[in-house]
Amino acid sequence: MHKAWIAAVLALMLSLGSAAAPAQIAPQQPPAQIAPQQPQDVLAPAPKLNLTLEQRHTIRELVKDMKADTADVKAEIGEPIPQGITPRPMPSEVGQKVPQVKSHRFILTEQQILIVDPKDNKVADVIKLAAE
């Protein structure tokens, strides 16, 4: 009878020990550490300005007669501007009429106006000089 009692206690200890082990391992699993980083990715700001047609027309009309900075630049929204080209400050008249681009800079080519975000020098919008 004494052997049976010892066997029962050992079985109980083993079952409790294996049940406690996963609880100790769970907080150390990598997915729990990765999950908090996902909302930051979702909340990343969009690089595009979402200008209205009227705002785009206003910018085009106020900038189109200036001297072009370069013949042509191949840059898409969200891409960094090409090296060797320095964007100009946005004209004050444009900033007054389209406040959301007031702090931005721009590059004028023969074909388009690249609006550049000064924080990261990436293209925030592209306005074609030919009417849209």
Side-chain angles (χ1 to χ4, degrees):
M1 184 162 135
H2 186 61
K3 288 182 182 180
W5 193 76
I6 292 175
V9 169
L10 284 175
L12 181 62
M13 289 175 57
L14 286 175
S15 66
L16 289 176
S18 65
Q24 293 171 352
I25 294 172
Q28 298 172 358
Q29 293 177 350
Q33 294 172 355
I34 294 171
Q37 295 174 356
Q38 291 173 347
Q40 293 172 353
D41 295 337
V42 173
L43 299 175
K48 188 164 171 55
L49 286 170
N50 295 320
L51 298 171
T52 66
L53 288 175
E54 183 179 346
Q55 290 170 324
R56 297 167 78 78
H57 176 75
T58 299
I59 294 168
R60 184 184 311 110
E61 289 302 309
L62 294 171
V63 171
K64 71 178 183 177
D65 293 328
M66 295 179 175
K67 185 177 180 233
D69 297 311
T70 181
D72 201 19
V73 173
K74 302 293 182 203
E76 298 291 324
I77 294 172
E79 292 181 355
I81 60 172
Q83 291 185 359
I85 299 174
T86 304
R88 304 186 222 186
M90 194 61 69
S92 60
E93 191 176 2
V94 172
Q96 290 170 354
K97 294 186 178 190
V98 186
Q100 67 226 66
V101 299
K102 185 177 188 175
S103 65
H104 285 70
R105 300 175 85 63
F106 75 100
I107 298 170
L108 179 62
T109 72
E110 293 177 358
Q111 305 293 321
Q112 60 194 4
I113 302 163
L114 302 174
I115 300 178
V116 179
D117 187 337
K119 290 177 253 164
D120 57 9
N121 270 349
K122 290 186 179 181
V123 177
D125 209 338
V126 177
I127 300 173
K128 303 281 185 200
L129 287 178
E132 294 179 22

